[in-house]
Amino acid sequence: MNKKMKFKKIIKKFMIIKFGKYLYYMIFPSVARLGGDRILKKIYRKLKPGKTLFIGASWKGYYKSMIPSTQFLTLDIDDFYEPDILSDVHDIKCKTNTFDTIVATRIFEHCYDPQKAIKEVLRILKKDGICIIDVPFICKRHSSHDYYRFSKKGLAYLLKDFSKVKIIPYGNRLQVLWLFLSQGAILKYFLRIFNPIVALINYKSKDFSIGYVAYAIK
């Protein structure tokens, strides 16, 4: 990498991390993330500390303090986020039976072959290891690598090789409507302020889940 490219990368990194969208979304998380996090935090509190792999290093600062662990490692395909393991989740550069816990929030919709990716997760999990996944069901396209949406049955099929799986839906009709309104080009900068209030309206709506959290044991 020449000096000019290296300088551009440093500037880009500074702008995104210090003033960019990830800071914005941490301050004003979406109704979907707030709903998923409500469930995830309950699950995290019950975890026994162990060797943990967090897939998707861009959100490591947001979730690291929530997850009890004796060792917390991150994995990402992009070295921009400085992961501990620079690797594609479809082909994880890691030994078999390595981790006690693996967490992947909003990752599997970005996998071109999620079944292959979950087999890799199974491979590197220890026996009786725990995999925690958060995936969207109703959500706008949010990157150029946005391949799938998972229903409850679809997620259950993805995790069929685990010995025990629990899938928890979150979201309702009102929150689905709010989610799309608050992601508009102009309205989002105003409406997102009210996301925590809307997220508290937590009545169940069977056919209008925003997403699902899965707790799976190898």
Side-chain angles (χ1 to χ4, degrees):
M1 184 183 293
N2 60 44
K3 289 183 178 179
K4 187 176 180 180
M5 289 178 65
K6 190 173 183 179
F7 178 74
K8 283 183 177 180
K9 185 173 182 180
I10 290 170
I11 294 298
K12 180 184 176 185
K13 185 173 182 178
F14 177 81
M15 291 301 291
I16 290 179
I17 292 178
K18 298 297 182 183
F19 304 106
K21 66 178 182 179
Y22 289 106
L23 180 59
Y24 172 73
Y25 287 129
M26 285 183 199
I27 297 171
F28 301 111
S30 69
V31 167
R33 189 166 290 278
L34 287 166
D37 283 353
R38 182 187 293 113
I39 298 166
L40 288 168
K41 287 175 183 177
K42 289 179 181 179
I43 293 173
Y44 295 156
R45 285 195 289 267
K46 295 177 181 179
L47 289 175
K48 293 180 180 178
K51 190 171 183 178
T52 300
L53 179 66
F54 188 84
I55 301 175
S58 64
W59 285 90
K60 61 186 174 184
Y62 184 79
Y63 286 106
K64 184 177 181 180
S65 62
M66 302 180 192
I67 303 171
S69 58
T70 55
Q71 186 179 9
F72 186 93
L73 300 177
T74 59
L75 180 146
D76 206 290
I77 197 171
D78 191 346
D79 64 352
F80 176 80
Y81 300 112
E82 299 180 344
D84 299 297
I85 303 170
L86 182 63
S87 182
D88 188 333
V89 72
H90 297 89
D91 183 22
I92 300 174
K93 307 303 181 185
C94 188
K95 293 180 180 178
T96 300
N97 303 323
T98 298
F99 294 97
D100 299 290
T101 306
I102 295 178
V103 180
T105 61
R106 302 292 173 121
I107 295 298
F108 281 89
E109 72 271 24
H110 299 293
C111 295
Y112 60 83
D113 189 344
Q115 201 70 65
K116 184 177 181 181
I118 207 68
K119 284 182 179 179
E120 279 293 273
V121 168
L122 263 170
R123 180 182 66 80
I124 65 172
L125 262 181
K126 294 178 182 177
K127 187 179 183 303
D128 297 320
I130 295 167
C131 176
I132 301 166
I133 295 174
D134 178 17
V135 292
F137 177 52
I138 298 177
C139 181
K140 74 170 187 176
R141 184 179 68 86
H142 53 285
S143 87
S144 57
H145 301 285
D146 191 356
Y147 292 97
Y148 294 99
R149 295 290 177 269
F150 294 93
S151 66
K152 187 174 183 179
K153 284 190 175 181
L155 187 56
Y157 183 80
L158 180 68
L159 301 171
K160 66 184 186 302
D161 292 327
F162 283 82
S163 65
K164 185 178 179 181
V165 177
K166 183 178 181 180
I167 298 174
I168 308 164
Y170 57 90
N172 51 54
R173 193 185 301 260
L174 174 62
Q175 290 175 352
V176 167
L177 178 61
W178 182 264
L179 181 68
F180 285 107
L181 285 174
S182 62
Q183 290 178 337
I186 298 173
L187 283 174
K188 67 179 179 181
Y189 297 106
F190 173 71
L191 294 181
R192 274 182 174 268
I193 297 170
F194 301 97
N195 283 350
I197 298 172
V198 177
L200 289 173
I201 305 170
N202 194 33
Y203 72 88
K204 294 184 179 180
S205 184
K206 182 179 179 182
D207 297 323
F208 286 88
S209 297
I210 293 175
Y212 297 94
V213 170
Y215 176 92
I217 301 174
K218 182 175 177 179

